[in-house]
Amino acid sequence: MDKKLIIFDFFGVVSTEVAPQWFRRYFPPEEADRRKAALCAPADRGDIDETEYFCRLGILTGEEPGQVMADWLALAEMNRPLLPLLAQLRANCPVALLSNAPAGYLHRVLSREHLYSAFDTMIISSEVHMVKPDPAIYRLLLERRGVAPEEAVMVDDNPGNLQGAAEAGIDGILYTGVPQLLEALTPFVPALAEPGEAVLCVPNVCHAAEISAYRQELLDAGSSMDGCGSLRRQESPLDWLDDCQRLHRPDTVPEGWVPSTQYVYVRKSDGRLLGMIQLRWELNDYLTYAGHIGYSVRPSERRKGYAAAMLRALLPLCKAGGLDRVLLSCEVGNEASRRTILACGGVYHSTVTEPREGRALERYWIAL
């Protein structure tokens, strides 16, 4: 059956394993494994906080706690080939993170790598005082998402953790590599195998070079950057990704703004970024003019149908997120944008004057 939630382990799947590498720097394999089990368990359960944990590791090895933390951060190397698949997957199905880890440390890694927006939900063991493979932690995640066990699948590199998932009624995939994972996931998420020139996905660091090139092409053409968030003022793609993360999370949205999710439309054959589209999950006073959705297409890729294809790909995500209709607007006289909205089911509502720049806008609703 099609799945409604794909759950990812972090260390050993999204990132390299860290604790085993670090302990084996100092101890023979068997002793390293024994010490790791004894010292990591209380930190993963949240019985001790991050400060005490790294102090204990420092005492064990004679290193300063700050240096131990720095070493652990350096050992966390992202699985770069997985990130585009993770973004593509999330464009078609909710994705969760379920990891055994000291929360403060993992949050540092997630922030550094701009990965908060890669997941719809996350549970870190030390924050809930439960660890994998206890079936209770899987059930907690299912409860938070409102998903039945048979509607989820767990991706982990640890067979023991998959056994815990199975006891909670969740199918499992033992991760050994990206090609194997794609093959294993496709029966659960058929959209991964659907033909198509491009895919809608959440941007991540793998798209950095294309984000810069996209921005420069829009600047060179004198084009507006609708649906691009803060891209005009952010020369660094990493700073822009940080802004996207802040806008995505309700607890970090600036005052006066609404939560939004940024997507990019990427050609499968060469990874070229064709367009950007932003979904705003609520309407404030200004967005009653601008609408739920803004989008743009790379100047050199216009008049090829990408705007409509990108919008069509986004609409099911709007519905999955709880919206029953979305508002879009276009400037009066922008016939290309008007045709795009109409092609995706837009129904004319009214023409208004946008207060910030005095633009005349046509507003359309699309029922989902």
Side-chain angles (χ1 to χ4, degrees):
M1 65 178 295
D2 293 1
K3 298 298 182 180
K4 296 183 178 179
L5 185 65
I6 311 299
I7 309 167
F8 278 83
D9 175 40
F10 192 78
F11 297 105
V13 179
V14 181
S15 162
T16 53
E17 287 282 10
V18 171
Q21 290 188 72
W22 186 84
F23 277 92
R24 291 189 182 200
R25 283 183 175 180
Y26 297 94
F27 306 103
E30 287 189 9
E31 183 179 357
D33 293 346
R34 176 175 57 80
R35 289 181 180 270
K36 170 184 170 296
L39 287 166
C40 289
D44 287 346
R45 286 194 305 269
D47 296 340
I48 60 173
D49 63 20
E50 177 189 79
T51 300
E52 182 175 352
Y53 179 53
F54 284 102
C55 282
R56 290 185 182 185
L57 296 181
I59 291 170
L60 180 67
T61 60
E63 298 281 358
E64 290 294 325
Q67 184 58 53
V68 177
M69 167 66 84
D71 290 344
W72 276 56
L73 289 172
L75 287 170
E77 297 181 6
M78 295 307 101
N79 183 357
R80 300 296 174 195
L82 175 66
L83 298 184
L85 173 58
L86 190 62
Q88 180 183 355
L89 181 64
R90 188 168 178 266
N92 294 284
C93 179
V95 174
L97 176 67
L98 180 59
S99 178
N100 288 350
Y105 167 68
L106 181 49
H107 281 300
R108 284 180 173 84
V109 176
L110 292 168
S111 178
R112 182 190 72 187
E113 301 294 336
H114 313 277
L115 283 175
Y116 281 112
S117 61
F119 303 97
D120 296 279
T121 304
M122 59 178 62
I123 287 182
I124 302 174
S125 61
S126 58
E127 293 181 331
V128 297
H129 302 285
M130 290 184 281
V131 296
K132 296 182 293 183
D134 183 351
I137 196 170
Y138 304 92
R139 296 188 184 109
L140 176 63
L141 178 57
L142 295 174
E143 180 182 347
R144 287 187 178 181
R145 289 298 306 182
V147 172
E150 62 272 14
E151 296 174 324
V153 63
M154 178 79 207
V155 179
D156 205 303
D157 65 317
N158 185 328
N161 290 338
L162 293 179
Q163 179 59 40
E167 291 177 21
I170 300 171
D171 287 328
I173 296 173
L174 182 64
Y175 179 79
T176 59
V178 173
Q180 164 264 345
L181 178 60
L182 176 59
E183 181 179 357
L185 280 174
T186 298
F188 297 129
V189 187
L192 293 176
E194 289 177 358
E197 185 178 357
V199 62
L200 190 70
C201 56
V202 175
N204 60 53
V205 291
C206 292
H207 303 119
E210 277 297 302
I211 291 166
S212 292
Y214 187 88
R215 175 181 183 273
Q216 191 60 51
E217 190 168 326
L218 288 173
L219 290 173
D220 291 345
S223 294
S224 63
M225 295 194 186
D226 297 327
C228 299
S230 64
L231 188 63
R232 181 176 294 278
R233 68 173 183 270
Q234 295 290 12
E235 292 187 14
S236 165
L238 298 185
D239 290 342
W240 179 73
L241 287 167
D242 280 340
D243 279 351
C244 293
Q245 286 187 4
R246 280 190 287 271
L247 289 172
H248 177 71
R249 301 177 62 194
D251 59 329
T252 57
V253 172
E255 185 176 356
W257 294 61
V258 302
S260 65
T261 304
Q262 182 70 51
Y263 295 94
V264 291
Y265 197 54
V266 179
R267 189 156 57 205
K268 294 179 180 180
S269 61
D270 58 4
R272 183 172 174 81
L273 202 161
L274 303 172
M276 290 192 179
I277 190 165
Q278 185 186 59
L279 170 58
R280 302 117 188 186
W281 291 99
E282 305 167 12
L283 295 179
N284 57 19
D285 288 344
Y286 175 71
L287 292 178
T288 60
Y289 299 92
H292 287 97
I293 297 170
Y295 56 87
S296 62
V297 173
R298 196 172 190 143
S300 60
E301 300 288 352
R302 290 174 182 169
R303 299 181 179 86
K304 300 178 181 179
Y306 291 136
M310 184 166 60
L311 180 54
R312 287 192 191 98
L314 181 67
L315 294 178
L317 303 180
C318 301
K319 184 175 182 178
L323 298 176
D324 56 12
R325 63 175 187 163
V326 289
L327 177 68
L328 290 91
S329 65
C330 64
E331 289 193 42
V332 172
N334 187 341
E335 188 60 26
S337 185
R338 178 177 176 273
R339 287 198 302 268
T340 293
I341 296 171
L342 290 173
C344 294
V347 176
Y348 175 78
H349 178 270
S350 59
T351 299
V352 296
T353 300
E354 181 268 329
R356 293 185 182 176
E357 300 175 6
R359 297 178 298 162
L361 300 176
E362 294 180 0
R363 302 196 308 162
Y364 296 82
W365 285 99
I366 298 178
L368 302 176

